[in-house]
Amino acid sequence: MDTPPYARIAGDIKRRIADGRLRPGDRVPSTRQLARDWGVALATATKALALLAQEGVVVAEPRVGTVVAEARGRGARRPEISGPMSGPVSGHDVTRERIVRAAIEIADTAGLSEVTMRGLAERLGMATMSLYRHISGKDDLVLLMVDTAMEDFPLPADQPPGWRAALETTARLQWAAYRRHPWLAGATSLMRPLPSAGLIKHTDWVMAALADTRLDATAKMHLQILVYSYVQGIAANLELERRARAATGLTDEEWLSGQENRMRALSESGHYPAFAQLIHELGDFDLDLDRLFEFGLGPLLDGLARLID
């Protein structure tokens, strides 16, 4: 009996691991790449990676993709989110900064919802109540986390000339912070903003850049919120994807391949001709959030120029 295509693909990846071409922690080809290389459907490529995952050969890593697992079956370079960081320490040796940094590490790996005072204390190897000598509670902790994360991407000491350069600078720095810390985009909302010094610095930066324009105070505030929302809105998908991958074990490409038949049925139903034409013209489209951010930032600033100049 012929070996099924998905099994042949899985066998090839195993051979590449065995002979050292792929090592623990290396990213394996995506479902789309496998489909192209082997001339098979995305569903077949997905089935091959699913088989390897079931056998413990590969593992899905958040914000990385599917990688070769360690020989013992655990994901390569997977950060632990429990247990002491460097052995037990006494409460007076733990600084507020270390507590906040530990909380950020947990959030970066597992999301903001996994940051609890009890889990944080376990990670630091100390009693939970000892944390409250440094942090008043979860709300205080989140505020400190946001400030610290933003401070890792400081605004320049001198503001560039012109409002456009200033707004582009703040947008790019915020995007960099969200890329480093995906949970950050969901830590605050427009309707209930955090009193964060790290975020207010960006508001102050924008207001200074707009000081000599013809805009009134309300228009300036709307403009600042609009730029902030543009960056935050795209960045929110970073954390949403991390959660989805953790819940399903599938990368975005693997999930999309599972929807291929349904999407094809919709496009071929005759009810959505414009959508069908778009799918036909797009071909093999891969959504890249960095490219999307760049694609929209310039036109956004162009549109604001009509209000400002």
Side-chain angles (χ1 to χ4, degrees):
M1 182 180 295
D2 292 338
T3 304
Y6 76 89
R8 292 201 299 271
I9 297 173
D12 178 70
I13 292 177
K14 288 179 182 178
R15 284 190 293 274
R16 292 162 69 178
I17 294 172
D19 63 22
R21 284 178 288 166
L22 287 173
R23 303 187 209 181
D26 286 348
R27 184 172 180 177
V28 302
S30 68
T31 53
R32 293 184 183 277
Q33 184 176 339
L34 289 173
R36 288 193 296 265
D37 293 346
W38 288 80
V40 298
L42 286 172
T44 301
T46 299
K47 192 172 182 179
L49 291 181
L51 174 63
L52 292 170
Q54 288 175 348
E55 295 177 352
V57 178
V58 300
V59 65
E61 286 284 4
R63 301 187 299 278
V64 175
T66 301
V67 301
V68 178
E70 297 286 359
R72 61 182 179 273
R74 291 187 298 184
R77 296 197 296 265
R78 183 181 293 276
E80 297 293 337
I81 62 170
S82 62
M85 295 178 66
S86 57
V89 293
S90 59
H92 64 273
D93 293 329
V94 180
T95 64
R96 171 180 285 196
E97 181 179 1
R98 188 179 179 210
I99 293 171
V100 174
R101 288 291 179 184
I104 289 175
E105 289 175 9
I106 295 173
D108 287 348
T109 303
L112 189 59
S113 63
E114 294 299 314
V115 178
T116 65
M117 299 299 276
R118 179 177 180 180
L120 185 56
E122 291 177 354
R123 183 177 178 84
L124 292 164
M126 60 187 293
T128 303
M129 293 306 297
S130 299
L131 287 178
Y132 290 98
R133 294 205 298 267
H134 306 276
I135 308 291
S136 63
K138 178 71 177 286
D139 290 344
D140 183 31
L141 176 61
V142 171
L143 182 59
L144 291 169
M145 290 169 64
V146 171
D147 284 343
T148 300
M150 295 302 298
E151 287 170 3
D152 288 340
F153 299 89
L155 289 160
D158 298 318
Q159 194 169 83
W163 66 265
R164 185 181 182 114
L167 266 62
E168 183 175 353
T169 298
T170 181
R172 291 190 181 283
L173 286 172
Q174 288 178 56
W175 178 248
Y178 291 139
R179 292 293 275 127
R180 175 78 65 82
H181 309 290
W183 54 269
L184 189 56
T188 185
S189 72
L190 294 182
M191 303 305 295
R192 302 187 182 193
L194 287 176
S196 161
L199 293 175
I200 290 176
K201 285 180 183 177
H202 285 264
T203 302
D204 184 75
W205 175 276
V206 172
M207 292 304 116
L210 300 176
D212 295 329
T213 67
R214 61 182 180 177
L215 301 180
D216 61 24
T218 299
K220 290 176 182 176
M221 192 62 178
H222 281 161
L223 190 148
Q224 187 272 331
I225 292 172
L226 182 61
V227 174
Y228 172 81
S229 298
Y230 170 75
V231 183
Q232 185 193 39
I234 299 177
N237 291 281
L238 297 167
E239 177 64 6
L240 290 173
E241 172 57 21
R242 186 206 62 76
R243 293 180 191 172
R245 186 172 298 183
T248 66
L250 300 175
T251 65
D252 56 338
E253 290 183 339
E254 292 165 345
W255 184 86
L256 281 170
S257 68
Q259 311 301 313
E260 186 177 15
N261 291 338
R262 181 174 296 181
M263 294 296 285
R264 183 184 297 111
L266 287 171
S267 66
E268 296 176 354
S269 67
H271 298 301
Y272 315 102
F275 174 72
Q277 182 64 26
L278 173 65
I279 294 300
H280 175 71
E281 294 176 359
L282 273 177
D284 191 13
F285 175 76
D286 288 318
L287 177 61
D288 183 293
L289 293 182
D290 290 300
R291 289 177 60 189
L292 180 63
F293 171 78
E294 293 295 338
F295 177 82
L297 182 59
L300 172 61
L301 297 176
D302 290 342
L304 294 178
R306 299 178 61 183
L307 299 175
I308 300 172
D309 295 334

